[in-house]
Protein backbone atom coordinates (compact mmCIF):
# COMPACT_ATOMS: atom_id res chain seq x y z
CA UNK A 1 0.00 0.00 0.00
CA UNK A 2 1.37 3.40 -0.94
CA UNK A 3 1.09 6.29 1.48
CA UNK A 4 2.04 9.90 0.80
CA UNK A 5 3.12 12.39 3.43
CA UNK A 6 3.37 16.09 2.54
CA UNK A 7 6.33 18.32 3.32
CA UNK A 8 6.20 22.07 2.78
CA UNK A 9 9.37 23.95 1.80
CA UNK A 10 10.23 27.54 2.57
CA UNK A 11 13.35 29.46 1.68
CA UNK A 12 14.26 32.16 4.12
CA UNK A 13 17.33 34.15 5.00
CA UNK A 14 18.21 33.63 8.65
CA UNK A 15 20.38 35.24 11.27
CA UNK A 16 24.14 35.26 10.96
CA UNK A 17 25.95 32.47 12.80
CA UNK A 18 29.41 34.02 13.12
CA UNK A 19 31.13 37.41 12.81
CA UNK A 20 32.20 36.78 9.19
CA UNK A 21 28.99 34.94 8.28
CA UNK A 22 26.04 36.86 6.88
CA UNK A 23 22.58 35.85 5.65
CA UNK A 24 22.13 36.04 1.88
CA UNK A 25 18.93 37.64 0.62
CA UNK A 26 17.16 34.93 -1.36
CA UNK A 27 13.76 36.65 -1.39
CA UNK A 28 13.67 36.48 -5.21
CA UNK A 29 14.04 32.68 -5.11
CA UNK A 30 11.08 30.61 -6.22
CA UNK A 31 10.03 27.15 -5.07
CA UNK A 32 8.03 25.32 -7.71
CA UNK A 33 5.19 23.41 -6.04
CA UNK A 34 6.22 24.04 -2.40
CA UNK A 35 3.98 21.22 -1.10
CA UNK A 36 6.16 18.17 -1.65
CA UNK A 37 4.46 14.83 -2.19
CA UNK A 38 6.55 12.11 -0.63
CA UNK A 39 6.59 8.37 -1.14
CA UNK A 40 8.06 5.50 0.79
CA UNK A 41 11.61 4.70 -0.31
CA UNK A 42 11.06 1.00 0.42
CA UNK A 43 7.99 -0.44 -1.34
CA UNK A 44 7.04 -2.23 1.91
CA UNK A 45 7.37 0.30 4.76
CA UNK A 46 8.47 -1.03 8.13
CA UNK A 47 10.53 -3.91 6.76
CA UNK A 48 13.79 -2.04 6.70
CA UNK A 49 13.74 1.61 5.85
CA UNK A 50 10.98 3.90 7.05
CA UNK A 51 12.36 6.65 4.85
CA UNK A 52 10.12 8.80 2.72
CA UNK A 53 11.48 10.80 -0.20
CA UNK A 54 10.19 13.65 -2.30
CA UNK A 55 11.53 16.01 -4.94
CA UNK A 56 11.08 19.65 -5.79
CA UNK A 57 12.67 22.31 -7.93
CA UNK A 58 13.98 25.61 -6.59
CA UNK A 59 15.02 28.57 -8.72
CA UNK A 60 17.60 30.14 -6.40
CA UNK A 61 18.28 33.84 -6.87
CA UNK A 62 20.87 35.04 -4.38
CA UNK A 63 21.44 38.77 -3.92
CA UNK A 64 25.21 38.95 -3.34
CA UNK A 65 25.51 42.64 -4.26
CA UNK A 66 26.78 43.65 -0.79
CA UNK A 67 29.86 41.46 -1.35
CA UNK A 68 30.53 42.21 -5.03
CA UNK A 69 34.27 42.40 -5.71
CA UNK A 70 35.16 40.21 -2.72
CA UNK A 71 35.94 36.52 -2.23
CA UNK A 72 33.36 34.44 -0.44
CA UNK A 73 31.94 31.03 0.33
CA UNK A 74 28.17 30.52 0.16
CA UNK A 75 26.50 27.73 2.11
CA UNK A 76 23.06 26.14 2.03
CA UNK A 77 21.97 25.74 5.65
CA UNK A 78 19.28 23.42 6.95
CA UNK A 79 18.40 24.22 10.58
CA UNK A 80 17.45 21.38 12.96
CA UNK A 81 13.96 20.07 12.22
CA UNK A 82 11.17 19.45 14.75
CA UNK A 83 10.47 16.03 13.25
CA UNK A 84 14.06 14.75 13.56
CA UNK A 85 16.66 14.19 10.86
CA UNK A 86 16.09 15.36 7.31
CA UNK A 87 18.54 15.01 4.46
CA UNK A 88 18.43 17.14 1.34
CA UNK A 89 20.50 16.33 -1.75
CA UNK A 90 20.50 18.40 -4.92
CA UNK A 91 21.82 18.79 -8.40
CA UNK A 92 22.28 22.15 -10.11
CA UNK A 93 22.69 23.63 -13.58
CA UNK A 94 26.29 24.48 -12.75
CA UNK A 95 26.45 27.93 -11.19
CA UNK A 96 26.17 26.47 -7.67
CA UNK A 97 27.72 23.22 -6.48
CA UNK A 98 25.62 20.06 -6.07
CA UNK A 99 25.64 18.50 -2.63
CA UNK A 100 23.93 17.07 0.42
CA UNK A 101 23.01 18.61 3.77
CA UNK A 102 21.50 17.10 6.93
CA UNK A 103 19.33 19.01 9.35
CA UNK A 104 21.45 21.10 11.69
CA UNK A 105 24.29 21.44 9.18
CA UNK A 106 25.40 23.55 6.23
CA UNK A 107 27.08 22.64 2.94
CA UNK A 108 29.21 24.70 0.56
CA UNK A 109 27.43 25.65 -2.68
CA UNK A 110 29.80 28.35 -4.00
CA UNK A 111 33.39 29.46 -3.40
CA UNK A 112 35.23 32.18 -5.25
CA UNK A 113 35.00 35.78 -6.34
CA UNK A 114 31.67 37.57 -6.16
CA UNK A 115 31.68 39.22 -9.59
CA UNK A 116 27.94 39.90 -10.06
CA UNK A 117 25.06 41.29 -8.02
CA UNK A 118 23.09 38.05 -8.20
CA UNK A 119 23.87 34.36 -8.43
CA UNK A 120 21.10 32.30 -10.00
CA UNK A 121 20.77 28.56 -10.45
CA UNK A 122 18.14 25.82 -10.50
CA UNK A 123 18.33 23.18 -7.79
CA UNK A 124 16.56 19.84 -8.06
CA UNK A 125 16.21 18.84 -4.41
CA UNK A 126 15.55 15.35 -3.10
CA UNK A 127 14.31 15.35 0.50
CA UNK A 128 14.59 12.25 2.66
CA UNK A 129 13.12 11.86 6.15
CA UNK A 130 12.02 9.17 8.60
CA UNK A 131 8.39 8.60 7.62
CA UNK A 132 7.54 7.08 11.00
CA UNK A 133 8.13 10.53 12.56
CA UNK A 134 6.03 12.55 10.10
CA UNK A 135 2.44 12.90 11.24
CA UNK A 136 1.42 16.19 9.67
CA UNK A 137 2.60 18.72 7.13
CA UNK A 138 5.99 20.05 8.20
CA UNK A 139 7.62 23.31 7.14
CA UNK A 140 11.23 22.98 6.05
CA UNK A 141 13.26 26.19 6.02
CA UNK A 142 16.49 26.37 4.11
CA UNK A 143 18.64 29.48 4.08
CA UNK A 144 21.77 30.67 2.37
CA UNK A 145 24.67 32.28 4.21
CA UNK A 146 27.99 33.68 3.12
CA UNK A 147 31.41 33.72 4.74
CA UNK A 148 33.28 36.70 3.34
CA UNK A 149 37.04 37.06 3.36
CA UNK A 150 38.22 40.28 4.94
CA UNK A 151 39.37 42.90 2.40
Amino acid sequence: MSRFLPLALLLAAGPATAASTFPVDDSRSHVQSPLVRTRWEDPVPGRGSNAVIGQLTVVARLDVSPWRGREGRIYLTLPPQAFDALTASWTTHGRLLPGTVRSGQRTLVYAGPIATDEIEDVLLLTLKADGSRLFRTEAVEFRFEIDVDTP
Side-chain angles (χ1 to χ4, degrees), residues 95-107:
R95 183 77 169 123
L96 298 175
L97 298 170
T100 300
V101 67
R102 291 185 51 89
S103 54
Q105 299 177 348
R106 69 183 194 162
T107 298

Side-chain angles (χ1 to χ4, degrees), residues 50-72:
N50 284 324
V52 292
I53 57 174
Q55 289 191 323
L56 70 148
T57 302
V58 176
V59 178
R61 292 183 180 103
L62 310 180
D63 179 1
V64 292
S65 60
W67 307 284
R68 188 174 181 163
R70 298 176 70 184
E71 293 279 328

Side-chain angles (χ1 to χ4, degrees), residues 3-4 17 21 36-37 50 60 72 115 133 135 138 142:
R3 187 172 98 186
F4 292 94
T17 59
T21 301
V36 178
R37 302 281 301 184
N50 284 324
R133 297 184 183 264
F135 300 105
E138 298 284 351
F142 291 91

Side-chain angles (χ1 to χ4, degrees), residues 27-52:
S27 60
R28 289 187 8 91
S29 294
H30 172 71
V31 179
Q32 295 177 353
S33 302
L35 188 60
V36 178
R37 302 281 301 184
T38 60
R39 63 175 172 77
W40 292 104
E41 183 177 49
D42 187 334
V44 184
R47 285 202 186 158
S49 171
N50 284 324
V52 292

Side-chain angles (χ1 to χ4, degrees), residues 120-136:
E120 182 176 335
D121 204 343
V122 177
L123 287 72
L124 176 60
L125 282 138
T126 300
L127 303 175
K128 183 176 179 178
D130 182 348
S132 66
R133 297 184 183 264
L134 291 173
F135 300 105
R136 63 186 189 289

